[in-house]
Amino acid sequence: MKQLKIIKIGGGIIDDAASLAQFLHLFAQVDGPKILVHGGGKGASEMLRALGIAPQLVNGRRITDAATLDTVTMFYAGKTNKAIVAGLQQNRVNALGLSGADGNVIRAVKRPVREIDYGFVGDLTPAGVDAALLGALLGLGLTPVICAITHDGQGQLLNTNADTIAATVAVALSEKFVVELHYCFEKNGVLLDVNDDNSVIEKINLTSYAELKEAGIIADGMIPKLDNSFDALSQGVSKVIIGHALKINDSLKTVLCLN
Amino acid sequence: MKQLKIIKIGGGIIDDAASLAQFLHLFAQVDGPKILVHGGGKGASEMLRALGIAPQLVNGRRITDAATLDTVTMFYAGKTNKAIVAGLQQNRVNALGLSGADGNVIRAVKRPVREIDYGFVGDLTPAGVDAALLGALLGLGLTPVICAITHDGQGQLLNTNADTIAATVAVALSEKFVVELHYCFEKNGVLLDVNDDNSVIEKINLTSYAELKEAGIIADGMIPKLDNSFDALSQGVSKVIIGHALKINDSLKTVLCLN
């Protein structure tokens, strides 16, 4: 099977035009077929405020009412996605921007209301991803650039977590490709000492992950991120790599695998 | 050669959610491969005002400074394009939203500054259209939905007239398809009597066009529209059809052809 790299970037890199330009230049040098998944950055919250829509967050998650959905769709699928696509074209990468609605590539389900009504938020399963179409687009030499908006197939767009999109697309494409899933952020990897950016743990497998959690070295926000990563590995993704967005072609990074 | 229909809709239909939904339902019933091209509607101007950016128009054309470009990109490529794509998916059309930057499908040139500096506005030639890629996307069963944003290949997005995009894409694709270019608006066609919406002229060729202009029946804003249409016909488009957006499957319309 062919290799495929799915690379997810978050807000920090998107908020700063110079960092984004530097990242896109590095991304252009990544070999082989690849997909970029991006979140939105702080700009969406600033724009909500400029339009007089107060951002509502519960447990760090945005509550997406109709006005918020309109705005994040404009921001993620319009401004951020097209800035990335145009920047990649400048770097001679034939990027194609996609929301989940485009080509029906990611069909989601509106999150059921339990204690909290998250509003127009999409939950995903690998079955909702059209791996055949994404494979065909890659086969045309295109590099899909996927934003954090999906749809339900009934005309409703849905705000969807970009980490989850990256993992779900990675699992779905594992049927056709040997998939490496890269989570890029502002640290060099998973750190032994959170205050020492050079203390990168080079490799974590299921056994060492349990030990690192037990020892309290991996804690807090890293736990759901790594839980989701091991979940993706158990569903067919070959490797998950966690590292710095501006060092994607360096060897300094954390590689997660099952064994 | 295969038939291809390129259908352009304007602001009026986009501004009204019920009309847009009705149009998308009708568009879904149009047979064969098809491409939808859309403008932005009044919403973009409203949003510019909401963000405190005064719309600047000279001779009916928007002057696109950096802040305006950001906003129209969000609006056209984000809000309008994704609303149309999601609405078509609901109607079981596998729509794929595109700006000109996506897949480098339409590369433009920033309009040279002469008497007026139009700012970030793109001028087009058929050579800037990747007809092979659009053909390949159609071959995958996709229906491209193109918004009025292009790029220069150097990282700069450009605001571009949607009528011109429709005509230029139609000419470029005439090498591979027998292309019908449909301009949809809020009248039933080109009218003999501007006050009688049933006085549609069924067919206009180059000879009768000259006569209708001479007689003052076709005047004002219709002249550049028809000049551009005959220009597209002279460059290989098989038919240009002008009619009502909500009657695209009716026979009441004006057909333009060379002879």
Side-chain angles (χ1 to χ4, degrees):
Chain A
M1 286 203 289
K2 267 195 180 176
Q3 300 273 332
L4 171 67
K5 291 175 182 132
I6 298 179
I7 298 179
K8 188 262 169 179
I9 52 167
I13 204 81
I14 289 166
D15 289 329
D16 180 61
S19 296
L20 180 60
Q22 197 184 340
F23 170 78
L24 296 179
H25 184 70
L26 294 168
F27 179 82
Q29 295 163 38
V30 172
D31 282 340
K34 53 198 173 185
I35 293 175
L36 183 60
V37 178
H38 66 88
K42 283 182 220 145
S45 293
E46 282 164 21
M47 181 152 176
L48 286 164
R49 275 193 295 274
L51 292 169
I53 304 162
Q56 301 172 57
L57 297 169
V58 174
N59 302 332
R61 287 177 178 258
R62 191 190 295 284
I63 304 291
T64 308
D65 62 11
T68 301
L69 179 70
D70 252 23
T71 304
V72 298
T73 300
M74 279 192 279
F75 211 88
Y76 301 167
K79 185 178 162 82
T80 308
N81 192 264
K82 295 318 160 205
I84 291 172
V85 168
L88 287 176
Q89 292 290 348
Q90 180 181 18
N91 283 284
R92 300 293 166 265
V93 173
N94 202 1
L96 179 81
L98 296 170
S99 74
D102 295 294
N104 194 24
V105 288
I106 310 170
R107 192 185 288 227
V109 172
K110 185 172 179 290
R111 183 169 299 163
V113 178
R114 297 210 176 87
E115 295 97 75
I116 300 172
D117 181 357
Y118 286 102
F120 296 108
V121 166
D123 287 332
L124 300 182
T125 61
V129 176
D130 189 340
L133 182 55
L134 285 169
L137 296 174
L138 289 162
L140 291 173
L142 296 165
T143 295
V145 176
I146 305 178
C147 70
I149 300 290
T150 63
H151 78 139
D152 70 354
Q154 306 303 314
Q156 182 63 57
L157 295 166
L158 295 165
N159 192 9
T160 307
N161 182 275
D163 280 8
T164 310
I165 288 180
T168 310
V169 169
V171 168
L173 284 167
S174 293
E175 284 180 24
K176 299 183 178 296
F177 295 88
V178 177
V179 177
E180 274 184 24
L181 171 59
H182 293 241
Y183 282 116
C184 295
F185 65 154
E186 284 104 76
K187 293 191 180 290
N188 287 331
V190 181
L191 304 177
L192 259 176
D193 172 0
V194 76
N195 297 312
D196 177 4
D197 207 28
N198 291 316
S199 66
V200 173
I201 306 170
E202 283 183 23
K203 193 178 164 186
I204 305 176
N205 63 22
L206 268 178
T207 312
S208 62
Y209 179 44
E211 291 164 3
L212 287 161
K213 274 198 290 191
E214 179 81 16
I217 291 168
I218 293 175
D220 306 324
M222 282 310 282
I223 292 179
K225 210 176 188 77
L226 294 200
D227 281 351
N228 289 337
S229 297
F230 279 104
D231 205 37
L233 290 167
S234 74
Q235 292 177 75
V237 173
S238 78
K239 273 186 204 170
V240 177
I241 293 169
I242 299 185
H244 198 294
L246 298 182
K247 298 175 187 169
I248 47 169
N249 297 310
D250 294 5
S251 57
L252 186 72
K253 53 189 58 160
T254 300
V255 177
L256 311 181
C257 41
L258 289 179
N259 302 304
Chain B
M1 287 203 289
K2 267 196 180 174
Q3 300 273 331
L4 172 67
K5 290 174 184 133
I6 298 180
I7 299 179
K8 188 261 167 179
I9 52 167
I13 204 82
I14 289 166
D15 289 328
D16 180 61
S19 295
L20 180 59
Q22 198 183 338
F23 170 77
L24 296 179
H25 183 72
L26 293 169
F27 178 83
Q29 295 163 39
V30 172
D31 282 339
K34 54 199 171 185
I35 292 175
L36 183 60
V37 178
H38 65 88
K42 284 182 222 146
S45 294
E46 281 164 21
M47 180 150 179
L48 286 164
R49 274 192 295 275
L51 292 169
I53 304 164
Q56 301 171 57
L57 298 167
V58 173
N59 302 330
R61 285 175 180 260
R62 192 189 295 281
I63 304 291
T64 308
D65 62 12
T68 302
L69 179 70
D70 253 22
T71 305
V72 298
T73 301
M74 280 192 278
F75 211 88
Y76 300 167
K79 185 177 162 84
T80 309
N81 191 263
K82 296 318 159 204
I84 291 172
V85 167
L88 287 175
Q89 292 290 349
Q90 181 182 19
N91 282 285
R92 300 292 166 264
V93 173
N94 201 359
L96 179 81
L98 296 170
S99 73
D102 296 294
N104 194 24
V105 288
I106 310 170
R107 190 187 289 228
V109 171
K110 185 172 180 288
R111 182 168 301 162
V113 178
R114 298 209 177 88
E115 294 97 75
I116 301 172
D117 181 356
Y118 286 102
F120 297 108
V121 167
D123 286 333
L124 300 182
T125 62
V129 176
D130 190 340
L133 182 55
L134 285 169
L137 296 173
L138 290 161
L140 292 173
L142 296 165
T143 295
V145 176
I146 304 178
C147 71
I149 300 290
T150 62
H151 77 140
D152 70 355
Q154 308 302 313
Q156 181 62 59
L157 295 165
L158 295 165
N159 192 9
T160 307
N161 179 276
D163 279 9
T164 309
I165 288 180
T168 309
V169 169
V171 169
L173 284 167
S174 293
E175 284 180 21
K176 301 184 178 295
F177 296 89
V178 176
V179 178
E180 273 185 26
L181 171 59
H182 292 240
Y183 282 116
C184 294
F185 65 153
E186 283 104 77
K187 293 192 178 291
N188 287 330
V190 181
L191 303 177
L192 259 176
D193 173 359
V194 75
N195 297 312
D196 177 4
D197 207 29
N198 291 317
S199 67
V200 173
I201 306 170
E202 284 183 24
K203 193 176 163 186
I204 305 176
N205 63 21
L206 269 178
T207 313
S208 63
Y209 179 42
E211 291 165 2
L212 288 161
K213 276 198 288 190
E214 179 81 14
I217 290 167
I218 294 176
D220 306 325
M222 282 309 283
I223 291 179
K225 211 176 188 77
L226 294 201
D227 281 351
N228 289 338
S229 297
F230 279 105
D231 205 36
L233 291 167
S234 74
Q235 293 177 76
V237 173
S238 78
K239 273 186 204 171
V240 177
I241 293 168
I242 298 183
H244 200 292
L246 298 181
K247 298 175 187 170
I248 48 169
N249 298 310
D250 294 6
S251 58
L252 186 70
K253 53 188 58 158
T254 300
V255 177
L256 310 182
C257 43
L258 288 179
N259 301 304

